[in-house]
Amino acid sequence: LSIFGDHSDVMSVRSTGFAMLSSHNVQQAHDMAAIAHAATLRSRVPFLHFFDGFRTSHEESRLIRIEDEVLREMIPDSRVLENRARGMTPDNPTIRGTAQNPDVYFQGREAANPLYNQTPEIVQNVMDEFAKLTGRKYGLVEYVGDKNAEHVIVAMGSAVDTIEETLAHLPSGLGLVKVH
């Protein structure tokens, strides 16, 4: 928990191998949870879905609930069962994480790269599928503001909505890159 209004707590996860997906408001916290879960099952890369713990969790806001049928379509039982079959179990013991020399260790790390390289496309595909099912469209990165902006803010988290609303009341020449 960071009490300083920054993302230092979440950013400490960057080197762990988790993909990260940021929500900017209460509705997105609801929606991105489903998107992150569907994406992790398709990409086989673990996801950390996060939102600003104080700002978003303490906000009273109405949201449009994702219907169970939509969740079942996005997260089919077959993908859940595939994921469970890959999990560790005492019924099917395996050895993972033994001591390795650097050459073998880095071969293992490199073998995972194709999974990570495909992940952004998979997440965008899941976001596009979500849009078809719910009408709420998201992108990995979204831009709002003047197409010829001289000054652009790059932000994620709960600051995004405030910045976007403020831009509407400021002169042209400004833009916002919203990062999920």
Side-chain angles (χ1 to χ4, degrees), residues 97-133:
T98 61
Q100 299 168 330
N101 287 329
D103 58 335
V104 174
Y105 171 78
F106 284 108
Q107 287 177 30
R109 293 302 310 140
E110 290 297 320
N113 282 345
L115 298 174
Y116 288 94
N117 292 340
Q118 297 171 17
T119 298
E121 183 179 347
I122 289 170
V123 175
Q124 187 58 61
N125 289 341
V126 171
M127 288 175 165
D128 294 344
E129 178 184 338
F130 185 84
K132 288 178 187 170
L133 294 169

mmCIF file of all heavy atoms in Angstrom, residues 97-133:
data_model
loop_
_atom_site.group_PDB
_atom_site.id
_atom_site.type_symbol
_atom_site.label_atom_id
_atom_site.label_comp_id
_atom_site.label_asym_id
_atom_site.label_seq_id
_atom_site.Cartn_x
_atom_site.Cartn_y
_atom_site.Cartn_z
ATOM 1 N N GLY A 97 12.180 -25.459 -10.753
ATOM 2 C CA GLY A 97 12.983 -24.507 -9.995
ATOM 3 C C GLY A 97 14.204 -25.100 -9.322
ATOM 4 O O GLY A 97 14.623 -24.616 -8.285
ATOM 5 N N THR A 98 14.765 -26.136 -9.910
ATOM 6 C CA THR A 98 15.984 -26.696 -9.328
ATOM 7 C C THR A 98 17.156 -25.764 -9.554
ATOM 8 O O THR A 98 17.080 -24.833 -10.356
ATOM 9 C CB THR A 98 16.301 -28.064 -9.958
ATOM 10 O OG1 THR A 98 16.498 -27.875 -11.365
ATOM 11 C CG2 THR A 98 15.174 -29.066 -9.736
ATOM 12 N N ALA A 99 18.252 -25.999 -8.866
ATOM 13 C CA ALA A 99 19.458 -25.182 -9.061
ATOM 14 C C ALA A 99 19.981 -25.384 -10.477
ATOM 15 O O ALA A 99 20.079 -26.517 -10.948
ATOM 16 C CB ALA A 99 20.523 -25.557 -8.041
ATOM 17 N N GLN A 100 20.303 -24.291 -11.152
ATOM 18 C CA GLN A 100 20.750 -24.356 -12.538
ATOM 19 C C GLN A 100 21.927 -23.433 -12.739
ATOM 20 O O GLN A 100 22.023 -22.383 -12.097
ATOM 21 C CB GLN A 100 19.621 -23.940 -13.488
ATOM 22 C CG GLN A 100 18.404 -24.810 -13.407
ATOM 23 C CD GLN A 100 17.224 -24.198 -14.148
ATOM 24 O OE1 GLN A 100 17.099 -22.983 -14.250
ATOM 25 N NE2 GLN A 100 16.363 -25.049 -14.669
ATOM 26 N N ASN A 101 22.776 -23.811 -13.654
ATOM 27 C CA ASN A 101 23.847 -22.918 -14.063
ATOM 28 C C ASN A 101 23.259 -21.839 -14.978
ATOM 29 O O ASN A 101 22.164 -22.010 -15.527
ATOM 30 C CB ASN A 101 24.948 -23.691 -14.780
ATOM 31 C CG ASN A 101 25.751 -24.535 -13.821
ATOM 32 O OD1 ASN A 101 25.924 -24.177 -12.660
ATOM 33 N ND2 ASN A 101 26.229 -25.674 -14.304
ATOM 34 N N PRO A 102 23.969 -20.731 -15.153
ATOM 35 C CA PRO A 102 23.418 -19.613 -15.944
ATOM 36 C C PRO A 102 22.996 -19.995 -17.357
ATOM 37 O O PRO A 102 21.975 -19.500 -17.853
ATOM 38 C CB PRO A 102 24.555 -18.602 -15.971
ATOM 39 C CG PRO A 102 25.352 -18.902 -14.750
ATOM 40 C CD PRO A 102 25.253 -20.392 -14.543
ATOM 41 N N ASP A 103 23.737 -20.881 -18.032
ATOM 42 C CA ASP A 103 23.375 -21.225 -19.408
ATOM 43 C C ASP A 103 22.002 -21.895 -19.480
ATOM 44 O O ASP A 103 21.175 -21.553 -20.315
ATOM 45 C CB ASP A 103 24.448 -22.097 -20.049
ATOM 46 C CG ASP A 103 24.702 -23.389 -19.278
ATOM 47 O OD1 ASP A 103 24.438 -23.415 -18.054
ATOM 48 O OD2 ASP A 103 25.156 -24.367 -19.898
ATOM 49 N N VAL A 104 21.726 -22.816 -18.593
ATOM 50 C CA VAL A 104 20.445 -23.509 -18.591
ATOM 51 C C VAL A 104 19.335 -22.575 -18.118
ATOM 52 O O VAL A 104 18.236 -22.546 -18.683
ATOM 53 C CB VAL A 104 20.510 -24.773 -17.694
ATOM 54 C CG1 VAL A 104 19.137 -25.423 -17.563
ATOM 55 C CG2 VAL A 104 21.527 -25.754 -18.266
ATOM 56 N N TYR A 105 19.611 -21.783 -17.094
ATOM 57 C CA TYR A 105 18.621 -20.847 -16.579
ATOM 58 C C TYR A 105 18.153 -19.894 -17.681
ATOM 59 O O TYR A 105 16.952 -19.700 -17.879
ATOM 60 C CB TYR A 105 19.186 -20.045 -15.397
ATOM 61 C CG TYR A 105 18.286 -18.915 -14.981
ATOM 62 C CD1 TYR A 105 17.152 -19.153 -14.211
ATOM 63 C CD2 TYR A 105 18.550 -17.600 -15.383
ATOM 64 C CE1 TYR A 105 16.303 -18.110 -13.845
ATOM 65 C CE2 TYR A 105 17.703 -16.562 -15.022
ATOM 66 C CZ TYR A 105 16.587 -16.821 -14.261
ATOM 67 O OH TYR A 105 15.754 -15.790 -13.912
ATOM 68 N N PHE A 106 19.098 -19.309 -18.415
ATOM 69 C CA PHE A 106 18.719 -18.331 -19.434
ATOM 70 C C PHE A 106 18.050 -18.985 -20.634
ATOM 71 O O PHE A 106 17.242 -18.342 -21.313
ATOM 72 C CB PHE A 106 19.917 -17.462 -19.831
ATOM 73 C CG PHE A 106 20.214 -16.421 -18.784
ATOM 74 C CD1 PHE A 106 21.329 -16.517 -17.980
ATOM 75 C CD2 PHE A 106 19.337 -15.367 -18.573
ATOM 76 C CE1 PHE A 106 21.582 -15.577 -16.994
ATOM 77 C CE2 PHE A 106 19.581 -14.422 -17.593
ATOM 78 C CZ PHE A 106 20.710 -14.524 -16.806
ATOM 79 N N GLN A 107 18.340 -20.253 -20.897
ATOM 80 C CA GLN A 107 17.594 -20.950 -21.943
ATOM 81 C C GLN A 107 16.120 -21.054 -21.551
ATOM 82 O O GLN A 107 15.232 -20.866 -22.385
ATOM 83 C CB GLN A 107 18.172 -22.346 -22.175
ATOM 84 C CG GLN A 107 19.498 -22.347 -22.896
ATOM 85 C CD GLN A 107 20.062 -23.745 -23.038
ATOM 86 O OE1 GLN A 107 19.323 -24.714 -23.126
ATOM 87 N NE2 GLN A 107 21.384 -23.856 -23.053
ATOM 88 N N GLY A 108 15.873 -21.342 -20.293
ATOM 89 C CA GLY A 108 14.495 -21.399 -19.800
ATOM 90 C C GLY A 108 13.810 -20.054 -19.878
ATOM 91 O O GLY A 108 12.638 -19.951 -20.247
ATOM 92 N N ARG A 109 14.527 -19.003 -19.524
ATOM 93 C CA ARG A 109 13.941 -17.655 -19.594
ATOM 94 C C ARG A 109 13.628 -17.291 -21.043
ATOM 95 O O ARG A 109 12.590 -16.720 -21.338
ATOM 96 C CB ARG A 109 14.902 -16.605 -19.005
ATOM 97 C CG ARG A 109 15.145 -16.720 -17.519
ATOM 98 C CD ARG A 109 13.876 -16.640 -16.657
ATOM 99 N NE ARG A 109 13.048 -15.507 -16.990
ATOM 100 C CZ ARG A 109 11.714 -15.539 -17.042
ATOM 101 N NH1 ARG A 109 11.061 -16.635 -16.766
ATOM 102 N NH2 ARG A 109 11.040 -14.463 -17.360
ATOM 103 N N GLU A 110 14.543 -17.587 -21.949
ATOM 104 C CA GLU A 110 14.324 -17.279 -23.366
ATOM 105 C C GLU A 110 13.162 -18.089 -23.944
ATOM 106 O O GLU A 110 12.445 -17.605 -24.815
ATOM 107 C CB GLU A 110 15.594 -17.534 -24.179
ATOM 108 C CG GLU A 110 16.710 -16.539 -23.912
ATOM 109 C CD GLU A 110 16.339 -15.122 -24.312
ATOM 110 O OE1 GLU A 110 15.696 -14.933 -25.367
ATOM 111 O OE2 GLU A 110 16.681 -14.194 -23.561
ATOM 112 N N ALA A 111 12.956 -19.303 -23.450
ATOM 113 C CA ALA A 111 11.863 -20.146 -23.949
ATOM 114 C C ALA A 111 10.504 -19.518 -23.657
ATOM 115 O O ALA A 111 9.524 -19.808 -24.347
ATOM 116 C CB ALA A 111 11.955 -21.542 -23.338
ATOM 117 N N ALA A 112 10.418 -18.668 -22.642
ATOM 118 C CA ALA A 112 9.150 -18.022 -22.290
ATOM 119 C C ALA A 112 8.871 -16.783 -23.133
ATOM 120 O O ALA A 112 7.734 -16.292 -23.149
ATOM 121 C CB ALA A 112 9.153 -17.639 -20.807
ATOM 122 N N ASN A 113 9.868 -16.264 -23.831
ATOM 123 C CA ASN A 113 9.696 -15.019 -24.582
ATOM 124 C C ASN A 113 8.541 -15.025 -25.587
ATOM 125 O O ASN A 113 7.822 -14.028 -25.687
ATOM 126 C CB ASN A 113 10.991 -14.603 -25.268
ATOM 127 C CG ASN A 113 11.957 -13.966 -24.296
ATOM 128 O OD1 ASN A 113 11.593 -13.574 -23.188
ATOM 129 N ND2 ASN A 113 13.210 -13.864 -24.704
ATOM 130 N N PRO A 114 8.323 -16.116 -26.332
ATOM 131 C CA PRO A 114 7.177 -16.083 -27.266
ATOM 132 C C PRO A 114 5.838 -15.831 -26.569
ATOM 133 O O PRO A 114 4.968 -15.161 -27.123
ATOM 134 C CB PRO A 114 7.204 -17.476 -27.913
ATOM 135 C CG PRO A 114 8.642 -17.892 -27.836
ATOM 136 C CD PRO A 114 9.141 -17.319 -26.527
ATOM 137 N N LEU A 115 5.683 -16.335 -25.353
ATOM 138 C CA LEU A 115 4.442 -16.088 -24.606
ATOM 139 C C LEU A 115 4.285 -14.592 -24.331
ATOM 140 O O LEU A 115 3.207 -14.023 -24.503
ATOM 141 C CB LEU A 115 4.433 -16.869 -23.298
ATOM 142 C CG LEU A 115 4.488 -18.395 -23.409
ATOM 143 C CD1 LEU A 115 4.626 -19.027 -22.028
ATOM 144 C CD2 LEU A 115 3.266 -18.931 -24.133
ATOM 145 N N TYR A 116 5.361 -13.950 -23.902
ATOM 146 C CA TYR A 116 5.307 -12.520 -23.584
ATOM 147 C C TYR A 116 5.157 -11.667 -24.846
ATOM 148 O O TYR A 116 4.456 -10.656 -24.835
ATOM 149 C CB TYR A 116 6.555 -12.096 -22.804
ATOM 150 C CG TYR A 116 6.539 -12.615 -21.395
ATOM 151 C CD1 TYR A 116 7.152 -13.808 -21.059
ATOM 152 C CD2 TYR A 116 5.870 -11.920 -20.388
ATOM 153 C CE1 TYR A 116 7.114 -14.302 -19.764
ATOM 154 C CE2 TYR A 116 5.818 -12.400 -19.095
ATOM 155 C CZ TYR A 116 6.447 -13.595 -18.788
ATOM 156 O OH TYR A 116 6.388 -14.072 -17.516
ATOM 157 N N ASN A 117 5.807 -12.077 -25.936
ATOM 158 C CA ASN A 117 5.713 -11.307 -27.176
ATOM 159 C C ASN A 117 4.295 -11.276 -27.731
ATOM 160 O O ASN A 117 3.898 -10.304 -28.369
ATOM 161 C CB ASN A 117 6.673 -11.873 -28.226
ATOM 162 C CG ASN A 117 8.127 -11.652 -27.857
ATOM 163 O OD1 ASN A 117 8.451 -10.794 -27.037
ATOM 164 N ND2 ASN A 117 9.016 -12.440 -28.448
ATOM 165 N N GLN A 118 3.516 -12.324 -27.507
ATOM 166 C CA GLN A 118 2.151 -12.410 -28.014
ATOM 167 C C GLN A 118 1.130 -11.716 -27.100
ATOM 168 O O GLN A 118 0.012 -11.441 -27.511
ATOM 169 C CB GLN A 118 1.741 -13.869 -28.163
ATOM 170 C CG GLN A 118 2.544 -14.643 -29.162
ATOM 171 C CD GLN A 118 2.227 -16.138 -29.102
ATOM 172 O OE1 GLN A 118 1.224 -16.549 -28.548
ATOM 173 N NE2 GLN A 118 3.096 -16.940 -29.673
ATOM 174 N N THR A 119 1.536 -11.439 -25.868
ATOM 175 C CA THR A 119 0.581 -10.967 -24.862
ATOM 176 C C THR A 119 -0.113 -9.653 -25.224
ATOM 177 O O THR A 119 -1.341 -9.557 -25.085
ATOM 178 C CB THR A 119 1.250 -10.897 -23.481
ATOM 179 O OG1 THR A 119 1.667 -12.222 -23.124
ATOM 180 C CG2 THR A 119 0.310 -10.372 -22.423
ATOM 181 N N PRO A 120 0.572 -8.604 -25.693
ATOM 182 C CA PRO A 120 -0.167 -7.359 -26.017
ATOM 183 C C PRO A 120 -1.272 -7.582 -27.054
ATOM 184 O O PRO A 120 -2.385 -7.057 -26.892
ATOM 185 C CB PRO A 120 0.918 -6.423 -26.552
ATOM 186 C CG PRO A 120 2.184 -6.929 -25.938
ATOM 187 C CD PRO A 120 2.023 -8.425 -25.857
ATOM 188 N N GLU A 121 -0.996 -8.364 -28.080
ATOM 189 C CA GLU A 121 -2.013 -8.642 -29.096
ATOM 190 C C GLU A 121 -3.177 -9.430 -28.499
ATOM 191 O O GLU A 121 -4.345 -9.155 -28.794
ATOM 192 C CB GLU A 121 -1.397 -9.414 -30.267
ATOM 193 C CG GLU A 121 -2.362 -9.681 -31.389
ATOM 194 C CD GLU A 121 -1.735 -10.417 -32.564
ATOM 195 O OE1 GLU A 121 -0.489 -10.512 -32.628
ATOM 196 O OE2 GLU A 121 -2.498 -10.894 -33.418
ATOM 197 N N ILE A 122 -2.871 -10.398 -27.646
ATOM 198 C CA ILE A 122 -3.920 -11.186 -27.000
ATOM 199 C C ILE A 122 -4.802 -10.285 -26.140
ATOM 200 O O ILE A 122 -6.031 -10.371 -26.180
ATOM 201 C CB ILE A 122 -3.309 -12.330 -26.166
ATOM 202 C CG1 ILE A 122 -2.721 -13.394 -27.103
ATOM 203 C CG2 ILE A 122 -4.335 -12.952 -25.216
ATOM 204 C CD1 ILE A 122 -1.878 -14.447 -26.406
ATOM 205 N N VAL A 123 -4.184 -9.396 -25.360
ATOM 206 C CA VAL A 123 -4.964 -8.501 -24.497
ATOM 207 C C VAL A 123 -5.863 -7.600 -25.338
ATOM 208 O O VAL A 123 -7.042 -7.416 -25.016
ATOM 209 C CB VAL A 123 -4.050 -7.662 -23.580
ATOM 210 C CG1 VAL A 123 -4.863 -6.642 -22.784
ATOM 211 C CG2 VAL A 123 -3.267 -8.556 -22.640
ATOM 212 N N GLN A 124 -5.341 -7.047 -26.419
ATOM 213 C CA GLN A 124 -6.170 -6.180 -27.268
ATOM 214 C C GLN A 124 -7.304 -6.981 -27.893
ATOM 215 O O GLN A 124 -8.425 -6.488 -27.988
ATOM 216 C CB GLN A 124 -5.335 -5.496 -28.344
ATOM 217 C CG GLN A 124 -6.115 -4.457 -29.128
ATOM 218 C CD GLN A 124 -6.685 -3.361 -28.235
ATOM 219 O OE1 GLN A 124 -5.958 -2.638 -27.576
ATOM 220 N NE2 GLN A 124 -8.012 -3.238 -28.187
ATOM 221 N N ASN A 125 -7.037 -8.220 -28.296
ATOM 222 C CA ASN A 125 -8.100 -9.062 -28.841
ATOM 223 C C ASN A 125 -9.183 -9.321 -27.799
ATOM 224 O O ASN A 125 -10.380 -9.301 -28.118
ATOM 225 C CB ASN A 125 -7.541 -10.388 -29.364
ATOM 226 C CG ASN A 125 -6.735 -10.222 -30.628
ATOM 227 O OD1 ASN A 125 -6.849 -9.233 -31.331
ATOM 228 N ND2 ASN A 125 -5.890 -11.197 -30.916
ATOM 229 N N VAL A 126 -8.776 -9.559 -26.560
ATOM 230 C CA VAL A 126 -9.749 -9.759 -25.484
ATOM 231 C C VAL A 126 -10.542 -8.470 -25.253
ATOM 232 O O VAL A 126 -11.760 -8.503 -25.065
ATOM 233 C CB VAL A 126 -9.063 -10.233 -24.179
ATOM 234 C CG1 VAL A 126 -10.036 -10.222 -23.011
ATOM 235 C CG2 VAL A 126 -8.464 -11.618 -24.358
ATOM 236 N N MET A 127 -9.871 -7.326 -25.284
ATOM 237 C CA MET A 127 -10.568 -6.040 -25.131
ATOM 238 C C MET A 127 -11.573 -5.825 -26.264
ATOM 239 O O MET A 127 -12.682 -5.337 -26.029
ATOM 240 C CB MET A 127 -9.560 -4.889 -25.093
ATOM 241 C CG MET A 127 -8.765 -4.808 -23.827
ATOM 242 S SD MET A 127 -7.506 -3.491 -23.938
ATOM 243 C CE MET A 127 -7.058 -3.314 -22.220
ATOM 244 N N ASP A 128 -11.204 -6.203 -27.478
ATOM 245 C CA ASP A 128 -12.110 -6.064 -28.619
ATOM 246 C C ASP A 128 -13.318 -6.991 -28.473
ATOM 247 O O ASP A 128 -14.454 -6.601 -28.767
ATOM 248 C CB ASP A 128 -11.378 -6.349 -29.932
ATOM 249 C CG ASP A 128 -10.304 -5.318 -30.246
ATOM 250 O OD1 ASP A 128 -10.312 -4.222 -29.639
ATOM 251 O OD2 ASP A 128 -9.439 -5.618 -31.095
ATOM 252 N N GLU A 129 -13.074 -8.216 -28.011
ATOM 253 C CA GLU A 129 -14.169 -9.161 -27.766
ATOM 254 C C GLU A 129 -15.093 -8.616 -26.669
ATOM 255 O O GLU A 129 -16.314 -8.678 -26.790
ATOM 256 C CB GLU A 129 -13.594 -10.512 -27.341
ATOM 257 C CG GLU A 129 -14.633 -11.559 -27.019
ATOM 258 C CD GLU A 129 -14.026 -12.851 -26.511
ATOM 259 O OE1 GLU A 129 -12.835 -13.126 -26.774
ATOM 260 O OE2 GLU A 129 -14.757 -13.599 -25.825
ATOM 261 N N PHE A 130 -14.502 -8.059 -25.628
ATOM 262 C CA PHE A 130 -15.270 -7.460 -24.536
ATOM 263 C C PHE A 130 -16.152 -6.332 -25.068
ATOM 264 O O PHE A 130 -17.321 -6.216 -24.686
ATOM 265 C CB PHE A 130 -14.311 -6.941 -23.461
ATOM 266 C CG PHE A 130 -14.992 -6.405 -22.247
ATOM 267 C CD1 PHE A 130 -15.403 -7.251 -21.228
ATOM 268 C CD2 PHE A 130 -15.219 -5.047 -22.103
ATOM 269 C CE1 PHE A 130 -16.037 -6.753 -20.094
ATOM 270 C CE2 PHE A 130 -15.847 -4.535 -20.980
ATOM 271 C CZ PHE A 130 -16.259 -5.399 -19.974
ATOM 272 N N ALA A 131 -15.612 -5.517 -25.962
ATOM 273 C CA ALA A 131 -16.382 -4.410 -26.544
ATOM 274 C C ALA A 131 -17.589 -4.925 -27.323
ATOM 275 O O ALA A 131 -18.684 -4.359 -27.232
ATOM 276 C CB ALA A 131 -15.490 -3.562 -27.438
ATOM 277 N N LYS A 132 -17.408 -6.003 -28.073
ATOM 278 C CA LYS A 132 -18.531 -6.572 -28.829
ATOM 279 C C LYS A 132 -19.617 -7.099 -27.898
ATOM 280 O O LYS A 132 -20.797 -7.027 -28.203
ATOM 281 C CB LYS A 132 -18.034 -7.701 -29.735
ATOM 282 C CG LYS A 132 -17.234 -7.223 -30.919
ATOM 283 C CD LYS A 132 -16.726 -8.379 -31.742
ATOM 284 C CE LYS A 132 -15.778 -7.872 -32.813
ATOM 285 N NZ LYS A 132 -15.084 -8.988 -33.494
ATOM 286 N N LEU A 133 -19.206 -7.643 -26.759
ATOM 287 C CA LEU A 133 -20.158 -8.246 -25.829
ATOM 288 C C LEU A 133 -20.841 -7.226 -24.919
ATOM 289 O O LEU A 133 -21.969 -7.445 -24.480
ATOM 290 C CB LEU A 133 -19.447 -9.303 -24.971
ATOM 291 C CG LEU A 133 -18.933 -10.531 -25.718
ATOM 292 C CD1 LEU A 133 -18.023 -11.360 -24.833
ATOM 293 C CD2 LEU A 133 -20.095 -11.372 -26.233
#
